[in-house]
């Protein structure tokens, strides 16, 4: 498992990746060529992956992201140390905060 700020990155066995992911739409890269895992609403900074790979958003309001890195990659952020990831599949989960009566994504 890997954590960078409010983003948790969990390795997933390739066999556990649902078949529909192969044909699911991919998230676009930002203007800098990065796969953005989480964008800071307050700071404008981003938790992002540099390197080849794909990012698939699962349906639902808190749908996790599935990240595929065929050659490995690095997670970067302007205020955190970079994290090297090995090749493979990962589930990307944003930290949530309980608010009486609901749940919200933590904003940095």
């Amino acid at each position: 498992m890997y954590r960078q700020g409010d983003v948790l990155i969990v390795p997933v066995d390739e066999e556990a990746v649902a078949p529909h992911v192969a044909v699911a739409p991919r998230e676009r890269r930002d203007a800098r060529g990065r796969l953005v895992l989480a964008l800071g609403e307050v700071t404008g900074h981003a938790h992002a992956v540099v390197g080849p790979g794909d990012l698939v958003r699962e349906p639902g309001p808190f749908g996790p992201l599935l990240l595929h890195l065929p050659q490995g990659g690095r997670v970067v952020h302007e205020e955190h140390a970079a994290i090297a990831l090995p090749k493979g599949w990962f589930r990307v989960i944003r930290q949530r905060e309980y608010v009486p009566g609901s749940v919200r994504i933590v904003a940095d």
Side-chain angles (χ1 to χ4, degrees):
M1 258 190 284
Y2 307 86
R3 177 173 292 283
Q4 189 183 67
D6 56 352
V7 174
L8 178 66
I9 303 168
V10 181
V12 175
D13 289 330
E14 188 165 357
E15 297 81 31
V17 175
H20 76 273
V21 171
V23 295
R26 288 355 195 198
E27 293 288 304
R28 290 184 173 176
R29 291 178 178 268
D30 71 359
R32 295 167 59 183
R34 305 172 306 169
L35 293 170
V36 176
L37 307 179
L39 184 61
E41 294 84 0
V42 177
T43 64
H45 297 158
H47 298 277
V49 174
V50 292
D54 291 306
L55 189 59
V56 178
R57 185 175 304 278
E58 290 289 303
F62 300 117
L65 297 169
L66 290 173
L67 174 64
H68 181 233
L69 299 175
Q71 301 172 3
R74 286 185 321 123
V75 182
V76 297
H77 187 278
E78 292 84 346
E79 298 174 337
H80 299 282
I83 298 173
L85 296 176
K87 68 180 183 177
W89 284 91
F90 302 88
R91 184 167 305 281
V92 180
I93 304 166
R94 294 284 306 274
Q95 183 175 337
R96 297 170 186 76
E97 178 176 70
Y98 174 75
V99 177
S102 69
V103 174
R104 71 176 188 91
I105 298 284
V106 172
D108 64 352

